Amino acid sequence: GQAYSLLTSVWPHWYIGCPDRAIEAANECQRVGVLAATFTQVVAAWKGFMYAELGDISGGLECTRQAAAAIVAGLGQFSVLEAQLHLELRAGHVAQATTLLQTMNQDPQHPAIFEVDSLLRARAEVALAQGQPDQALAAAQAHVDGLRAHGLWTTLPEALFGRAQAWLLAGQPAQAEAALAEALAQAEA
């Protein structure tokens, strides 16, 4: 119970601009969770994502490796793979990220509802990194549509930002600006 409670507090702290409290909750969740709930070790991948966003890509990659070792298959695997993929892209390793995406796409299990964003985001991020405008636009739109279809509003602004990046890649700044305006409105809502 403690591990799950801590797990659910990580992203809210992150999204309200308290990365220190998010990482603190992740560390405590990881400590408590290893004793009782293997799934909660997904928090190490989340912590890796946060470290990378704060500028520590190598520390973030180490966290995702810890998570991958703890969660080999099953619940949480898509979240771990997506965090690894995101960090590989941040480090400029497009080939490694593409390989991780292939692993995600070959998984016979459908992602759990809380991992739908992870799979859709991974597809959009890789398409953007590969510099393919048509594929990036299609993947970014599928990300936005998938989140809306499942009512997953928390990460919708980020998906809309990804769609704006795809429009820029396609040389369409007016559409990119519209996507950014929509992302801002969604975040404020």
Side-chain angles (χ1 to χ4, degrees):
Q2 289 175 355
Y4 282 114
S5 294
L6 288 161
L7 186 73
T8 61
S9 72
V10 172
W11 288 121
H13 287 307
W14 178 258
Y15 283 120
I16 64 168
C18 298
D20 55 334
R21 293 185 67 196
I23 291 170
E24 209 173 274
N27 285 336
E28 186 63 9
C29 176
Q30 197 173 2
R31 186 189 71 73
V32 173
V34 76
L35 303 172
T38 303
F39 162 71
T40 60
Q41 294 307 297
V42 72
V43 78
W46 296 355
K47 189 169 59 173
F49 176 90
M50 288 183 257
Y51 280 179
E53 292 300 300
L54 295 169
D56 183 6
I57 296 173
S58 63
L61 281 167
E62 180 55 36
C63 288
T64 61
R65 288 185 195 107
Q66 290 173 10
I71 299 178
V72 177
L75 202 57
Q77 183 180 16
F78 283 98
S79 296
V80 171
L81 289 170
E82 195 279 326
Q84 286 180 302
L85 182 147
H86 180 77
L87 272 62
E88 292 291 359
L89 289 175
R90 289 288 305 270
H93 306 146
V94 177
Q96 289 91 327
T98 302
T99 300
L100 288 166
L101 179 59
Q102 289 169 348
T103 300
M104 292 173 82
N105 284 331
Q106 291 172 359
D107 192 315
Q109 300 178 20
H110 293 291
I113 188 67
F114 65 88
E115 292 187 301
V116 167
D117 177 59
S118 295
L119 181 57
L120 295 172
R121 178 191 308 259
R123 290 174 179 162
E125 285 185 335
V126 169
L128 276 168
Q130 291 173 335
Q132 302 170 354
D134 292 341
Q135 290 87 341
L137 281 168
Q141 189 60 52
H143 187 193
V144 169
D145 293 345
L147 294 179
R148 284 186 172 140
H150 289 89
L152 301 172
W153 308 115
T154 304
T155 55
L156 184 57
E158 292 170 347
L160 290 164
F161 177 73
R163 190 170 70 181
Q165 291 175 305
W167 280 118
L168 281 176
L169 182 65
Q172 301 292 325
Q175 285 87 343
E177 187 176 352
L180 288 174
E182 187 179 355
L184 178 61
Q186 195 67 51
E188 288 175 340

